[in-house]
């Protein structure tokens, strides 16, 4: 049974930084598409960043562009999300997800069918 395990969440003041990590195992490490999603109370689930582990294509949600950096290491089957200049609206549960591409792209939201249990990020003064 494959799994994704996140770590690195916590509480930080506005303007601070956190680094989330995710390790894939049990077959999920072969997934080409990986992404971080955020779920905040009362808000729609949002894809924060995605990466194509084959051609290294990366995309960010506009709300985090320039502040967050996604990376992935095929050798260690891990993915990270460096989050800088955090804002209160960045708070939420962050999920590591994975899937296979559709028609050669990692863009569709629905293809991220594997997910970890999440790690909580709270940005508050």
């Amino acid at each position: 049974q494959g799994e994704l395990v996140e770590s690195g969440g916590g509480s930080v003041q506005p303007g601070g930084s956190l680094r989330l990590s995710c390790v894939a195992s049990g077959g999920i490490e072969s997934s080409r598409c990986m992404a971080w999603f955020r779920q905040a109370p009362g808000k729609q689930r949002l894809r924060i960043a995605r990466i194509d582990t084959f051609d290294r294509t990366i995309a960010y949600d506009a709300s985090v562009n320039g502040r967050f950096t996604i990376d992935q290491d095929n050798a260690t089957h891990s993915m990270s999300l460096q989050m800088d200049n955090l804002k209160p609206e960045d708070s939420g549960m962050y999920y590591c997800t994975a899937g296979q591409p559709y028609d050669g792209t990692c863009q569709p939201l629905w293809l991220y069918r594997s997910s970890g249990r999440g790690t909580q990020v709270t940005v508050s003064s």
Side-chain angles (χ1 to χ4, degrees), residues 13-122:
Q13 292 186 340
S17 297
L18 283 173
R19 184 178 181 87
L20 305 184
S21 296
C22 171
V23 178
S25 63
I28 296 181
E29 60 268 30
S30 65
S31 300
R32 176 171 164 175
C33 305
M34 297 193 74
W36 290 96
F37 282 76
R38 180 178 72 217
Q39 180 72 64
K43 295 187 178 180
Q44 212 168 14
R45 194 179 189 218
L46 177 69
R47 185 172 61 191
I48 299 298
R50 62 176 171 93
I51 183 168
D52 183 320
T53 66
F54 178 70
D55 65 16
R56 314 304 291 178
T57 299
I58 288 173
Y60 297 97
D61 184 80
S63 65
V64 306
N65 205 13
R67 300 188 297 120
F68 290 12
T69 303
I70 189 172
D71 199 4
Q72 187 272 344
D73 187 336
N74 284 320
T76 59
H77 309 306
S78 62
M79 179 175 66
S80 64
L81 185 68
Q82 177 66 39
M83 306 185 294
D84 297 318
N85 191 20
L86 282 159
K87 303 176 180 181
E89 52 264 41
D90 295 322
S91 298
M93 188 71 80
Y94 282 70
Y95 296 92
C96 171
T97 67
Q100 297 299 349
Y102 174 77
D103 200 21
T105 176
C106 293
Q107 194 278 333
L109 296 172
W110 55 263
L111 62 83
Y112 295 90
R113 300 184 177 185
S114 298
S115 176
R117 295 187 176 185
T119 185
Q120 179 68 38
V121 171
T122 302

